[in-house]
Amino acid sequence: SSKMSYMQGNRSGMSLLSLVDKMNSHDADIRYMAINDLTTQIGSGQIAPESSDVVSPMLKSITDKNGEVQNQAVKALAVIVPVWRDALVEKMMDGLCEIVEKAKDPATEDIATMAIKIVVTALQKRPQLRISLFEKDSPRLLSGG
């Protein structure tokens, strides 16, 4: 099964690139587990959170066709965003705003909006970044695109 082969690969230790690769798998279970492992490893300091390689796959996961993968990606932001440097948070917010602007259905807009809320909440200890994101992105969001 895909979960078993995933778990065997996990025992040998996952690099960031390996996890990013698994986030692009055709199998939703593997995508879900990759996000879960990425979150755990960044949260525990096993993987440095500075890599910009994570932003695009996270954005892709937020618009995943599988709801569980979407929800896991949104939850992951609460762990990842507080340790990301400002430039990565800004890149994530730009991507999330773009998803909201281009959403073709309410469900996509809702999940991206929820992700934006998680990002803003995760920045409670970084008020300057929070303020700059509000100043930059609020007009985009309030105009509806």
Side-chain angles (χ1 to χ4, degrees), residues 11-136:
R11 279 194 212 113
S12 63
M14 294 269 165
S15 71
L16 177 62
L17 292 177
S18 174
L19 289 171
V20 167
D21 188 48
K22 289 181 185 322
M23 288 171 73
N24 291 312
S25 170
H26 293 293
D27 187 319
D29 287 339
I30 290 175
R31 292 192 308 271
Y32 177 93
M33 290 302 297
I35 295 166
N36 185 58
D37 287 350
L38 179 73
T39 306
T40 301
Q41 291 188 24
I42 287 177
S44 67
Q46 294 173 347
I47 290 179
E50 281 80 39
S51 177
S52 60
D53 296 339
V54 177
V55 177
S56 291
M58 286 298 294
L59 288 167
K60 184 178 175 187
S61 297
I62 287 165
T63 59
D64 196 279
K65 60 186 176 274
N66 182 289
E68 290 179 8
V69 172
Q70 287 180 344
N71 290 331
Q72 188 66 14
V74 170
K75 286 186 219 170
L77 291 175
V79 174
I80 296 170
V81 166
V83 295
W84 261 351
R85 66 180 190 270
D86 291 4
L88 293 180
V89 176
E90 290 170 5
K91 188 174 176 181
M92 177 59 72
M93 278 295 283
D94 284 343
L96 292 171
C97 289
E98 190 172 320
I99 291 169
V100 170
E101 289 171 341
K102 294 181 176 178
K104 295 190 180 355
D105 61 279
T108 301
E109 186 174 343
D110 288 348
I111 194 82
T113 302
M114 187 167 47
I116 290 169
K117 181 180 176 187
I118 296 283
V119 170
V120 170
T121 302
L123 295 174
Q124 286 180 343
K125 295 182 178 161
R126 292 160 74 185
Q128 285 308 114
L129 178 58
R130 219 173 173 188
I131 289 166
S132 72
L133 289 174
F134 273 125
E135 288 172 349
K136 182 173 167 254

